[in-house]
Amino acid sequence: MTQKSSQPIVTNLAPTRDSRAVNKTLRRVLRSPLGVVGVCIVLGTLLCAVFAPAIAPYDPLKGDITNLYVKQPSGAHPFGTDDAGRDILSRAIFGARISLKIALLSESSGLALGVFIGLITGYFGGWLDTILMRIVDIFMAFPLLIIAIALAAALGTGDDKLIVALTLTIWPAVARLVRSQVLSVRETEYVSAARLIGANSIRIMRRHILPNILTPLIVFTTLGVANVILQEAALSFLGLGSADRNSASWGRMLNDSRQFLIAAPWMAFYPGLAILIAVFGFNLLGDALRDALDIQSE
């Protein structure tokens, strides 16, 4: 007859959110009128990005050879055409695909790097924490757009290089946020209990700390996507975005419209409106998520 161990086996001592909590959070978001507007805008932008080839009435890269100059909005071209005869509506729709691709890849890369550094520095502390946080202080001592311009200019044009430049501007803020959250969580009772039963540091960070600091990260990421869309548009406007000058980026479209602000104001108005709506939608969604998650955590 074998003797059972008197030591309890604990798989996860930390409080976690289940599917009911997620559903409750979504319901709280959808109860807010501004939250519904944000969800609709974000979903609409995502749909435009995914189904751009099916939605756009024209090829965004090919102009009308019968009309190689700007044409005001009409039934055939609701948003008008640019100086190369390209349909602005089609280019604005494809611009959602470019902006969201760059924003989501940059934000996810910066989030992964920042979470890793924030977890390590916040949990272990010591000289590594001191060095990495001083690097974070250097990054955050300058406006992020200035750093993005400098990095993009140094790396050169191209979507991949633009993503790298934006990623390097995102991770410092994420690392500082995660570190502050880890410092407040690592001394809680369930983390101390996990140490007592012999859980290693990686398991504690993965199973007991990270799941309980997700609330501020979710809100930060949603709001961060809006900020990255603005930064991508600014860099593309300055000629530091895609290497293809025919790219249907919103920032590139604004760059192309500079010479036609008086003769063809629609060339700048519609891509600028697309940027405004996308950023507004992600900001509304981020605010609604923050309110819902704050109430959920009470």
Side-chain angles (χ1 to χ4, degrees), residues 62-74:
K62 294 183 179 179
D64 184 1
I65 60 174
T66 64
N67 183 21
L68 294 179
Y69 194 65
V70 293
K71 183 177 181 181
Q72 65 183 0
S74 62

Side-chain angles (χ1 to χ4, degrees), residues 241-252:
S242 174
D244 183 6
R245 296 192 61 84
N246 292 322
S247 172
S249 166
W250 290 334
R252 174 69 68 179

Side-chain angles (χ1 to χ4, degrees), residues 101-107 109-110 155 158-170:
K101 180 191 76 171
I102 294 175
L104 293 178
L105 289 176
S106 302
E107 189 69 26
S109 301
L155 294 173
D159 289 349
D160 54 344
K161 297 176 182 178
L162 182 58
I163 291 172
V164 172
L166 292 173
T167 297
L168 294 177
T169 66
I170 293 169

Side-chain angles (χ1 to χ4, degrees), residues 266-283:
W266 57 85
M267 285 182 60
F269 175 78
Y270 289 111
L273 181 63
I275 295 172
L276 173 65
I277 292 175
V279 171
F280 185 62
F282 276 100
N283 280 329

Side-chain angles (χ1 to χ4, degrees), residues 91-154:
R91 290 176 64 78
I93 292 173
F94 271 85
R97 166 174 287 192
I98 297 174
S99 294
L100 282 184
K101 180 191 76 171
I102 294 175
L104 293 178
L105 289 176
S106 302
E107 189 69 26
S108 59
S109 301
L111 186 69
L113 180 59
V115 167
F116 174 76
I117 293 177
L119 279 173
I120 297 298
T121 57
Y123 185 80
F124 292 106
W127 62 268
L128 183 62
D129 177 37
T130 302
I131 294 175
L132 290 176
M133 285 303 105
R134 297 300 76 78
I135 295 175
V136 169
D137 291 340
I138 293 173
F139 270 89
M140 301 191 70
F142 300 93
L144 294 182
L145 183 58
I146 300 299
I147 297 177
I149 292 174
L151 291 172

